[in-house]
Amino acid sequence: MASVAGRGRAPLDTAVVQGFYDRMRAVAPAAYGAIERDRDDDPERPFAETACGRLVDSLDAAGLRALGMWAHHWCMRFYDDDTRVGLRLVRAIAARPGLGWTADEVRWLLDRSHAAGPAAGHRFTLPLAAATELPPGALPEGVAADARPDAWRRLRAG
């Protein structure tokens, strides 16, 4: 699928995107380790009692945004039946309000979601939740228009 730039939208600055990858690299070892530990754990265990839950609780808002971006990117790149734990982590971060998502972060998340294609069923969970924290007009017109339009309108209204 085309990138945001490929659909006629302005691409994110390379330095901004590199900054996202630098931040994600900082949380990646802990995130990967937590996901691997939880993979063999009881899927019914409350999230707060899992390795991923403990990692989430240990991070500030900026760290949680980086963790969310990493988990989202990881799940979208390696989408298969073995992403249950990663998807649970993404949903837990998406449910946390007040993380201070930036418009650039949301645009990057949406771009990664579009690139993943429809096989990744939960690809808009985090970007749409993050977008609800942005002020009206923070995203360029149409950036999220093709990201499940009904869900987008419902999230923006709520």
Side-chain angles (χ1 to χ4, degrees):
M1 184 164 274
S3 69
V4 169
R7 288 192 302 269
R9 298 180 189 129
L12 288 169
D13 183 86
T14 304
V16 169
V17 174
Q18 185 59 51
F20 295 161
Y21 283 106
D22 292 345
R23 289 174 32 220
M24 288 188 289
R25 265 195 293 281
V27 298
Y32 183 77
I35 285 173
E36 287 302 308
R37 286 189 298 283
D38 286 350
R39 212 181 283 265
D40 295 326
D41 201 1
D42 176 8
E44 300 302 317
R45 181 183 297 257
F47 182 74
E49 296 175 12
T50 66
C52 287
R54 289 187 297 276
L55 177 59
V56 163
D57 288 342
S58 74
L59 297 171
D60 63 7
L64 276 175
R65 290 193 320 271
L67 176 62
M69 292 172 76
W70 179 86
H72 174 80
H73 187 55
W74 182 80
C75 287
M76 298 307 99
R77 286 179 56 220
F78 303 109
Y79 186 80
D80 59 27
D81 292 338
D82 205 17
T83 58
R84 175 187 49 85
V85 174
L87 290 172
R88 187 177 187 195
L89 175 58
V90 166
R91 284 191 301 270
I93 294 170
R96 287 176 138 357
L99 292 181
W101 294 97
T102 68
D104 284 344
E105 289 169 339
V106 174
R107 286 177 58 206
W108 183 86
L109 287 166
L110 284 166
D111 188 41
R112 298 289 85 217
S113 297
H114 286 291
H122 302 284
R123 68 190 189 275
F124 293 111
T125 299
L126 186 58
L128 291 178
T132 64
E133 293 192 16
L134 297 177
L139 292 176
E141 185 68 31
V143 165
D146 51 351
R148 294 187 191 169
D150 293 335
W152 174 252
R153 281 191 283 279
R154 186 179 71 251
L155 285 169
R156 289 300 290 173

